[in-house]
Amino acid sequence: MTHTDPKLAQKRAVAKSALDYVEDGMILGVGTGSTVNCLIELLPQVRLKGAVASSKVTEDKLRALGIEIFDLNAVGELDLYIDGADEIDAQGNMIKGGGGALTREKIVAAASKQFVCMVDDSKVVDKLGRFPVAVEVLPQARSYVARELVKLGGDPVYRENFVTDYGHVILDTYELDIKNPSDFEQVLNNIVGVVCNGIFASQSAHIMLKASDGGVEVVKF
Ligand code: 5RP
C-alpha cells in the first residue's frame, strides 16, 4: 500500500518558489527532508556549478542527478542555503532536526549569506517548542545530558536506532519552555556533551516561503 503525503502539493509549490532564488553558476547549500527532496527534483532546471549537501541522504540524491558535490571547506562562503523546518516563528527562528541532520545543516547555514526556509503554514507557530528539540549528543554523555535536560524542564526521549552522520545520538526533547530562542539555544549548547541542538536562532531564516492552499507567501525577516 502506498501512502501519499497530504502536504506533497504544498511542498512541491514551495520548492518551485524557492527555485526563483537559485542562479546559474551557483554552489548551492542544500538542506535535508521531504520538502528539500521536492526542490532537488527541480534542480536539473538550473545550471548549478554544484552543491554543498547538509546530509549524506541529500548528497546521494544530488549525485544521482549528476550535481557535483563540494566540500564546504573548499568553497568558502555560500550565497544561498535552502532548507525546510519543523517549526518557524514570526522572527524566523526555527526548530529543525526532525530528520536528524541538524548539525550539518547548522554548519552549512552558518556558512551561507542567505537562508531561505520552505514550510507549509502548519509549521508556523507563535512560540517554538510544540515540536521536540533534537539535541545531538556524544554517545558517552547521553545519560548525563538527559538529566540536565530534565533539570531544564524537558522530557528527553532517546531516538532509537538512529545515529547521525557524525556518529552521535539524538535526544528529542519535549516540554521545553522556549521563551527566548536565542538564549535557550546557547543554554543547550553549554551542556557538556552536547554537539548541537535543533533551535536555529543563531542561524535564523532570512526569508520564509510559506505554502498554504491559497499559494506561496514570501515573508522577509
Ligand atoms: C532535517 C530537518 C528538516 O528540514 C525538517 O525536519 C523538515 O523536514 P520536512 O521537509 O520533511 O518536513 O531539519 O533535519
Side-chain angles (χ1 to χ4, degrees):
M1 197 164 70
T2 54
H3 297 279
T4 312
D5 179 351
K7 293 285 183 186
L8 187 60
Q10 290 188 3
K11 287 175 185 178
R12 285 191 171 141
V14 81
K16 191 163 179 284
S17 297
L19 206 60
D20 292 346
Y21 296 83
V22 184
E23 291 170 14
D24 286 344
M26 257 187 174
I27 298 177
L28 178 66
V30 185
T32 299
S34 56
T35 316
V36 165
N37 291 345
C38 293
L39 174 72
I40 292 173
E41 282 173 18
L42 301 175
L43 287 178
Q45 296 177 25
V46 192
R47 277 196 294 274
L48 287 177
K49 181 171 178 194
V52 173
S54 67
S55 63
K56 283 184 187 152
V57 172
T58 289
E59 200 170 307
D60 289 346
K61 286 181 183 294
L62 290 165
R63 270 193 223 281
L65 292 173
I67 296 171
E68 186 174 351
I69 301 298
F70 286 86
D71 176 353
L72 184 62
N73 291 308
V75 296
E77 194 175 37
L78 301 176
D79 286 327
L80 181 61
Y81 178 66
I82 305 180
D83 200 352
D86 300 304
E87 279 185 356
I88 183 164
D89 71 12
Q91 286 72 47
N93 302 306
M94 295 164 284
I95 288 183
K96 291 182 46 53
L102 58 151
T103 301
R104 202 159 149 187
E105 290 175 340
K106 207 179 266 193
I107 292 168
V108 185
S112 302
K113 286 187 196 141
Q114 193 174 45
F115 187 148
V116 171
C117 177
M118 308 176 292
V119 288
D120 66 69
D121 53 2
S122 69
K123 292 176 169 179
V124 181
V125 296
D126 291 332
K127 185 183 173 201
L128 298 179
R130 193 181 55 203
F131 197 92
V133 178
V135 181
E136 183 164 344
V137 176
L138 293 168
Q140 193 189 22
R142 187 186 89 204
S143 207
Y144 165 73
V145 172
R147 291 196 295 278
E148 293 301 301
L149 291 170
V150 169
K151 284 184 198 162
L152 291 171
D155 179 10
V157 176
Y158 173 45
R159 200 180 289 189
E160 301 273 355
N161 303 317
F162 186 86
V163 176
T164 69
D165 284 1
Y166 296 119
H168 306 136
V169 297
I170 285 188
L171 295 169
D172 287 306
T173 309
Y174 295 79
E175 307 296 341
L176 291 171
D177 183 13
I178 307 170
K179 291 195 180 79
N180 180 324
S182 190
D183 288 351
F184 210 84
E185 182 180 8
Q186 297 316 319
V187 167
L188 295 178
N189 282 342
N190 282 342
I191 302 171
V192 175
V194 169
V195 176
C196 186
N197 72 84
I199 300 176
F200 279 54
S202 59
Q203 307 307 324
S204 60
H206 299 99
I207 293 175
M208 169 175 67
L209 302 175
K210 182 176 70 167
S212 64
D213 289 341
V216 176
E217 185 188 347
V218 180
V219 179
K220 294 187 181 169
F221 301 106

